[in-house]
Amino acid sequence: MPVAYGGFQPIALVSRNYLDEAGIPSRVECSPAHLLRRSIMSLFSRLFRKAPSLSPVPPSAPQPGPYEKADKAHPKPRAVDRALAALAEEKALQSAIDARDIQAVARLVVAGASTQVRQAAARAIEDPDVLRQLIREVRGGNDKSVYKVLTAKRDVLLEQARKLDQLQAEINAASAALERHSQRPYDALYSARLDQFENRWTAVAAQADPELRGRVQQWIARSQETIAEHLRQAAAQASREQAAANAAAEARRLREQQQQASAAAAAEQARVLEEQKRALAEERQADQQAVREIGELIRKARAALSGGSTSRAAGVRRAIEEKLAGAPPLPANLASQLQQLDQQLDELKDWKSFSVTPKRAELIEKMESLVDATLDPLALAERIKSLQDQWRTLSKGAGENFEADWQRFQQAAKKAYQPCSEYFAAQALVREENLRRRDALIARFSAFEAGHNWEQADWRAVIRALHELKQEWRRCSPVDRGAGKPQQQKFAALTASLQGRLDAEYARNLKQKEALIERAQALLTSDDDHKAIDAIKELQQQWRTVGPVPREVDQDLWGQFRQHSDAVFQKREQDFAAYTAGLENNKAQAIALCEQLEKIAALEGAELLARAAALGDTRSAFEALGEFPRADTRELRNRLDQGLERCGESIARQHARGAERAWDDLFEAADHIRAYRLAVARRLDTTLIDTLKEAAETYIASVQRWPKGGFDALKQALAGERSTDLAANEAAVKMLCIRAEILTDMPTPPEDQALRRDYQLQRLVQGMGQGLKADETQLDTMAIDWVRVGPVEDVAYEPLLRRFRCCRERGKPPVDARL
């Protein structure tokens, strides 16, 4: 059956519907002409309330005349035209859908002749803009079904867009909060805020852009470094105070007050650290206790299984599941035991469902099937052990003793294990053979070392022998660990001895080659080029007679020697080389200046603005370099211009971000003040209230730039000049959200739709009109009003703040666009 596109049934299916209505069997295969005729006849039957007959005329019926028959064949020409037009229209719709011609489909939504065609065309529309245009066109018309189809699809798309916008707003807000936090100085709530922001980011990090995730990780690392730096400073401060206390002991009379203050500070810090340690110890103890309890329950369950009590073991397993809900991750051994317990429990449940005797017979058959089985010995041994474990488990819950079955099972196990015994015996012989081969190898190369003439050593033979010894030793594996340990010690001593002799020779040859390099370098200052070239040739002959050195070192030394040799041979071209080198040096310096500009363009924040002052000096330094290689001049100058242009764009972007960050700081400061005013409204402990107020004041003092009117609004909010009625404050911020959503054409959650309609009606009555576009000034005014609102509960404030900031993101143009 063909699949409908966009909810539209293909022409064949529509025509088949006509056939079904006309009473024609659906299995009849018809030609296109016959199908068209049947469809038209079905339409005739509905138009004239009479079903057309397809059977031949009975013999007894009177035969119509020629003119009468012609009239009945074509009773309504206009009905035929409408039927043909409907079929043509359906074919046109299907063609438009297949061709993805949205405009043609949209025209059929409005101007289709039949309701079926209009509805099918409406279901095929997926573009949001086209949907909105069609809804406006069909609103108020007679075809309500088409309007419902269009509005239903529009609502689905709007809901998807709203969720995507909310998710993106949450991602932007979470990342921006971490970025701002990474640039703030440390305060009392720094660590707690970082944890809160990290949890918020973790909830949406999977849907974020990979590049943004990388930047967020950098900001988190920067924040953690700020915490670490604070801890280092605190530790350094404690160390300095301790040193001052020790010095005060020597001059107690003169510095008694300072010693007392230092001691009090140290005691307070020790008390805080002790409390932290105690809390951490209690938490660890609770986790350990939970793990121990789970381990004890696992042991009880296994004991119950050993006694054959499946129901009791299942009850203990349910208790373990309840414990797991609040326990930390289990250690690997407990997790493995729990998995084994589940397997055994499942097996015992299975065994409880059947009699023990058939299960014993099944195990005996499986064991006997392993006799003469063509399995790998290791896999065969593992299979035999598994069957034996199952037999033992089955015997524990059987309650009877089947000696004959056990003897039969044990005899089959011995026969099946015979290939494994032979295999393991063969492996033991292989290990013994490897031990003998290792003994022979040690003896052979020990004899090589003892019989070699080390006064005139063949070092290449020594290198080959050492390499061969290591390779052959690896081939003589495996061996028994206990028996092979003395051999390993002898092998290590032998290779160390040979390597030591070789390293000594390497050191001697290395000194000779370094001396030749120094002599070649000294020839560069010679005034007689002819003598210098002859001396270089002689040094090259001496280089060939020097013994071996390690390959990687030899290549480096040869590179140095070859460099000095080439310099002597090329001294005649020194003037030209100096000029070329000067151009290349200028090119390198120009590239370094361009790279410096590119690095500045990649910076952010205060570091970018601080480095921006040196842009003029960079251009001047570039112009002062003079000439470059002709082939690189145009590219270098273009790169300089592009670097300066990118720096200008980065600086402008940073200024724009700074302006937006001021609003972010305003919302953050407002959140500090809200926490403080909420604690006051709840009449919490005065110490906590003072701490929250101090944190708010500290944060406000740490910010250097505020939006216009923002600082005054913060002072008013901090002074508590607004209402402390939490419900009224929540209603106020909710209304600000609704106003912002109306202004930015953002959807409002269903629970606040009634408030939005009331506000729109009120605005309409006051003559404010509809269709207003988002205005940045109005959004900024709303943000200042937001700050002035009194405290709101956390559970209501966070989602409202996300809605409001999402509207601000929608209402403001992107940073790059504003540049």
Side-chain angles (χ1 to χ4, degrees), residues 109 114-116 118-119 138 140-148:
V109 172
S114 65
T115 301
Q116 184 178 9
R118 292 195 297 272
Q119 291 180 357
V138 303
N142 295 327
D143 198 342
K144 301 298 183 181
S145 60
V146 173
Y147 181 79
K148 289 180 180 179

Side-chain angles (χ1 to χ4, degrees), residues 57 78 255 327 346 362 467 527 570 606:
V57 179
R78 292 184 180 179
R255 304 173 64 181
D346 292 339
E362 180 184 352
H467 180 70
D527 296 332
Q570 296 173 1

Side-chain angles (χ1 to χ4, degrees), residues 148-365:
K148 289 180 180 179
V149 170
L150 293 173
T151 53
K153 297 201 70 173
R154 179 204 60 189
D155 294 341
V156 170
L157 293 177
L158 287 177
E159 180 64 20
Q160 292 176 352
R162 184 182 69 83
K163 290 181 179 179
L164 289 176
D165 289 341
Q166 288 180 350
L167 176 60
Q168 187 60 42
E170 178 62 16
I171 291 173
N172 294 337
S175 61
L178 285 170
E179 180 184 12
R180 294 193 304 272
H181 197 71
S182 66
Q183 298 173 357
R184 295 193 183 103
Y186 186 87
D187 57 15
L189 300 177
Y190 194 90
S191 298
R193 289 286 185 181
L194 178 59
D195 293 339
Q196 179 183 356
F197 294 152
E198 281 193 74
N199 293 335
R200 183 179 178 185
W201 169 254
T202 303
V204 297
Q207 289 79 25
D209 182 74
E211 181 179 357
L212 179 59
R213 287 200 297 268
R215 293 202 302 271
V216 168
Q217 290 303 319
Q218 295 177 359
W219 297 330
I220 293 174
R222 189 185 305 168
S223 300
Q224 293 173 347
E225 179 61 26
T226 300
I227 296 174
E229 179 63 24
H230 171 73
L231 294 177
R232 289 194 292 270
Q233 292 177 359
Q237 180 65 24
S239 177
R240 289 193 295 271
E241 290 176 355
Q242 186 63 36
N246 294 335
E250 300 176 0
R252 187 174 293 105
R253 294 180 182 179
L254 298 178
R255 304 173 64 181
E256 183 175 359
Q257 295 180 350
Q258 181 180 1
Q259 183 182 11
Q260 293 175 353
S262 300
E268 177 64 17
Q269 185 177 4
R271 183 186 64 79
V272 173
L273 292 176
E274 185 63 27
E275 291 179 355
Q276 293 177 351
K277 291 179 180 178
R278 187 184 304 109
L280 182 59
E282 291 175 355
E283 182 179 355
R284 290 178 178 174
Q285 184 177 4
D287 292 344
Q288 293 172 359
Q289 179 63 25
V291 173
R292 284 195 296 270
E293 291 176 357
I294 292 174
E296 183 63 26
L297 290 174
I298 291 175
R299 286 190 289 274
K300 289 181 180 180
R302 296 179 68 177
L305 288 177
S306 300
S309 178
T310 308
S311 59
R312 182 166 170 265
V316 177
R317 181 62 180 85
R318 288 192 293 272
I320 292 174
E321 191 65 28
E322 294 175 358
K323 290 288 186 181
L324 287 175
L330 293 180
N333 60 336
L334 283 183
S336 177
Q337 293 178 15
L338 183 59
Q339 184 178 4
Q340 293 176 3
L341 172 63
D342 291 338
Q343 293 176 356
Q344 293 177 0
L345 186 59
D346 292 339
E347 291 172 358
L348 279 182
K349 288 179 179 179
D350 179 62
W351 293 335
K352 292 292 184 178
S353 301
F354 303 93
S355 63
V356 174
T357 301
K359 188 62 178 180
R360 287 178 180 272
E362 180 184 352
L363 292 177
I364 292 173
E365 290 177 2

Side-chain angles (χ1 to χ4, degrees), residues 5-6 93-105 124 126:
Y5 172 72
L93 174 58
Q94 185 64 45
S95 299
I97 292 174
D98 294 339
R100 305 290 181 177
D101 189 350
I102 302 301
Q103 296 301 325
V105 177
E126 298 291 344

